[in-house]
Structures are given as structure tokens and as C-alpha cells.
Amino acid sequence: MITDARLAADIASGAGALLLDIRTAGLGSADGRELGRRGDIAADAFILGKLAAERPEDAILSEESADDRSRLERSRVWIIDPLDGSKEYGLPGHSDWAVHVALWERGRGITAAAVAQPALGAVYASDDDSHAVHAEQLPARPRIVVSASRPPAFVDAVATDIGAEVSTMGSAGAKAMAVLRGDVDAYIHAGGQWEWDSAAPVGVAVAAGLHCSRIDGTPLGYNESHPYLPDLLICRPELAAPLLAAIAKHATDTADSGRVAMARAYIDALVSHDATKVRLADNAWRVENGQHTGESGAFIRDELENGLQYQAIQAVRDLSFHEWGDNVVARFVLDLGATPTEVTSVRITEHFDIPAGAIQSVMAIIEPFAIERENR
């Protein structure tokens, strides 16, 4: 029987070929966001089908599928991201998108992994020692890569401390593999990620001898009840100590929990009208001031992006979160108006029920903000 690492590589390669075909046919004729969704759905179906045929007894945790919590009782769980970097995938001229396939085993962590970068014609696997890394003398000017959309607030200060230069790139897998190839020396992320964002890149990087940890130096855990990881450091081994020391000095913000991160993504979508990062259960429901305004995750996601009632939202401010158990309450002020000079503000109290890896329900109380201030 094919080994787990070879299976991961074969599946990542096949999904990558499928994604290339979809991208070639869609670039220039489809909206970038829609093209990314097409790729996500097709690659997810391809990977799930291959795993069902080759490893039918194993559980799966996928970005594009509902979270089946029975995985928590299983000894083998495949953690997959069918298309990491869907934004870049939908843009011409970008190669920084990837396919992630990893296997987690109880008591052993990530034991097999592969990252495909189809636009580069490359597949990196945990059983391939051609990119083995060994500790060397510190580079004179280390190169750090960070997210183009969510760079850590502290990265410039860290770079100054260790004399590094900073660049940006899409896709966690693309950034991690840039470290593996030696294009850069470290990848730092502190804007929140999910297990599928890093499981395969970490599996490949660790097998090659790179340092992988949280930004406080603690281990990365997978197949957790809530599949959220706030931050990540992948770097050459000789850079780990100076980077961790610099990060500890400058990283003062407290990371969101997984549930708060999900609630924040929903609230961000109110302004951006991009619900790509919003995780909603298939049967999610929403109530606003006692009125049912959504009876499925797909409907709510479409409303966030296209609903006319949300198009006038200009800004969210004074945002705070309170979390207990499976619940998150967000309180904020919402500014609405057809133009920047015609703004009406309302006070929102929004309750999220998040029992697992997706929002199950949203209940909102909407009050006139001006009246609230007058009554104080």
C-alpha cells in the first residue's frame, strides 16, 4: 500500500492539476472571488474522494467541509486546505497559492504532509529529504516573509532588532515553502490561522529540519476541539532563538481565541462585504431584533456580500468582545449612510453561538445610537 506521505503528495499534485485547469479557464472571464470559490469546491471534492477511496477509516478536517467533531475520537485525521491563497489564485500573475494535505496521528502529531504549488510545478512532501536544512551561521541580513494582508504589527521592530529585511507574500503554504527553498529565512504570522493553514506546511518544514512553533515558542497543536491557531513561526534553526527573543520583546497584543476570531471575521464582513473568511454552519440561522433574517449558512453568507441592507454600512467602531463557553457577545457601533457625510449610527449587541468550528447562530439587538446617548 502507498505510504501516507506519498499519498499526500499524489493527492496534492492531483488537486493542483485540477486547480490549474479551472484557473486557466476562468481567469479573465470570472470574478476573482468566484474563481477562488470554484477552485475551493472542486479541489475539496477531489481530495475527499481520494481519501475516501484510499483511507476510508480515517477522519478528515477540511476548510471547505463541515467540522465533524467525531474526529476528536479518532486516531488518524487528515487536515486539508484544498486551496490556500484563494485571493491570489483569482488574480493573474500570482503563483503564491497552494494545496495542503496533512495527516495527524494521536500521540505523534503531523506524521505525513505535502504542499503543492501548482503554478510553480512543485510538490513538497515530508518524505523528500532533498530540501533538508541544517543549522548554519546566522545570515548577515535575514529575510522575513509575512502576510501581505495581515502582517504582524511588531514585525518591523523585530526586523530592526535582528537586522532583517521584510517582504510580503500570499498563502501560508507559499511562505513556508519559500523558507524551505531558502528564498527567505523566516515566516512569521500573528493574524490568526486555522489548523488547515499550517498543518501541511509545518509537517513538511519539520521533516526538513526547520524550526516550527507558536510565536512564544510553544508547540503547535492539531486536531483540537476548536481548530484555531493564533500565530506561527517557521524559520531556519539558527534564527529561532534571536527571533523568539525579539518577538517576546515586541509582541504585546493578546491573540484572539478561535471563537472571537470567528465573530470578528463576521463583523469584518459587514464592512468589507467579503464573507470568504466567515465560517458558518450549513444550518446556521440569524435573528435581528426578533426577526429571522437567515436560515442557512449559504444564505447568510450571500446576504453579507450582496444584501442591500448591508451595502450602506460604512464602519464598525468601539468594538469589544466577551466570551464564555461556546458563546461570544460583540458590542459595537455601526455607521451607516449612502455617503460619508450622511451617517446614522446604531448600537449593536450581537450574540454568536459557536459550539465547534463554525458559527451556529447569530442573534442581534439593534438600537438607535443617538437616542442611547441622549438617555445617559
Side-chain angles (χ1 to χ4, degrees), residues 345 367-376:
S345 298
E367 304 171 273
F369 184 52
I371 292 176
E372 180 190 75
R373 287 186 296 177
E374 292 171 2
N375 289 341
R376 283 181 178 175

Side-chain angles (χ1 to χ4, degrees), residues 8 44 47-48 51 58-63 71 76-82 99-105 109-114 194-201 221-224 227 229:
D44 189 56
I47 295 172
L48 295 183
L51 288 174
D58 295 349
I60 299 173
L61 172 63
S62 169
E63 179 182 19
R71 64 181 170 82
R76 288 169 52 95
V77 180
W78 292 87
I79 303 175
I80 65 172
D81 190 341
V99 179
H100 299 176
V101 181
L103 173 65
W104 171 92
E105 294 189 75
I110 303 299
T111 58
W194 304 96
E195 290 187 12
W196 44 80
D197 290 314
S198 68
Y222 295 94
N223 197 37
E224 300 291 339
L229 284 166

Side-chain angles (χ1 to χ4, degrees), residues 69-373:
R69 289 174 65 82
S70 68
R71 64 181 170 82
L72 299 174
E73 309 302 321
R74 310 289 280 278
S75 60
R76 288 169 52 95
V77 180
W78 292 87
I79 303 175
I80 65 172
D81 190 341
L83 173 54
D84 183 59
S86 56
K87 177 182 177 181
E88 290 74 20
Y89 176 80
L91 296 172
H94 277 263
S95 61
D96 48 346
W97 50 277
V99 179
H100 299 176
V101 181
L103 173 65
W104 171 92
E105 294 189 75
R106 189 172 305 282
R108 300 178 63 196
I110 303 299
T111 58
V115 175
Q117 285 194 262
L120 299 181
V123 179
Y124 307 91
S126 56
D127 65 348
D128 180 359
D129 62 4
S130 62
H131 291 282
V133 176
H134 305 284
E136 300 176 0
Q137 185 177 357
L138 284 172
R141 189 163 177 76
R143 299 155 299 176
I144 299 171
V145 67
V146 297
S147 168
S149 59
R150 293 177 293 164
F154 55 79
V155 71
D156 289 338
V158 167
T160 298
D161 275 11
I162 69 167
E165 59 186 47
V166 179
S167 61
T168 62
M169 187 184 298
S171 169
K175 290 190 280 287
M177 295 307 99
V179 182
L180 185 78
R181 290 190 302 268
D183 298 343
V184 296
D185 302 298
Y187 163 34
I188 305 173
H189 186 77
Q193 286 183 331
W194 304 96
E195 290 187 12
W196 44 80
D197 290 314
S198 68
V202 164
V204 173
V206 167
L210 291 169
H211 169 90
C212 299
S213 72
R214 297 277 307 278
I215 61 171
D216 62 1
T218 56
L220 295 152
Y222 295 94
N223 197 37
E224 300 291 339
S225 60
H226 202 282
Y228 182 74
L229 284 166
D231 47 59
L232 172 70
L233 170 64
I234 298 177
C235 67
R236 297 188 60 85
E238 65 272 14
L239 272 176
L243 273 174
L244 288 169
I247 292 170
K249 176 181 175 183
H250 296 291
T252 56
D253 292 340
T254 302
D256 283 342
S257 71
R259 288 180 171 84
V260 169
M262 285 188 176
R264 189 185 297 277
Y266 180 95
I267 293 166
D268 287 346
L270 293 173
V271 179
S272 69
H273 310 301
D274 181 357
T276 304
K277 300 298 183 182
V278 180
R279 286 189 59 81
L280 292 156
D282 291 344
N283 61 344
W285 52 270
R286 183 180 60 197
V287 170
E288 295 172 314
N289 280 10
Q291 301 295 313
H292 282 269
T293 59
E295 298 295 343
S296 74
F299 178 87
I300 295 169
R301 185 176 292 106
D302 181 69
E303 285 277 287
L304 288 171
E305 294 189 342
N306 303 305
L308 293 178
Q309 70 272 37
Y310 296 112
Q311 296 303 308
I313 295 175
Q314 295 188 6
V316 168
R317 53 190 174 89
D318 301 337
L319 176 61
S320 66
F321 294 97
H322 178 64
E323 177 182 9
W324 76 101
D326 294 344
N327 306 279
V328 175
V329 169
R331 295 183 175 89
F332 54 96
V333 174
L334 203 62
D335 293 334
L336 308 97
T339 69
T341 58
E342 299 176 4
V343 176
T344 299
S345 298
V346 294
R347 170 73 69 183
I348 308 290
T349 301
E350 201 132 40
H351 175 274
F352 298 87
D353 178 30
I354 311 176
I359 297 170
Q360 182 61 54
S361 66
V362 183
M363 293 186 291
I365 298 174
I366 306 169
E367 304 171 273
F369 184 52
I371 292 176
E372 180 190 75
R373 287 186 296 177

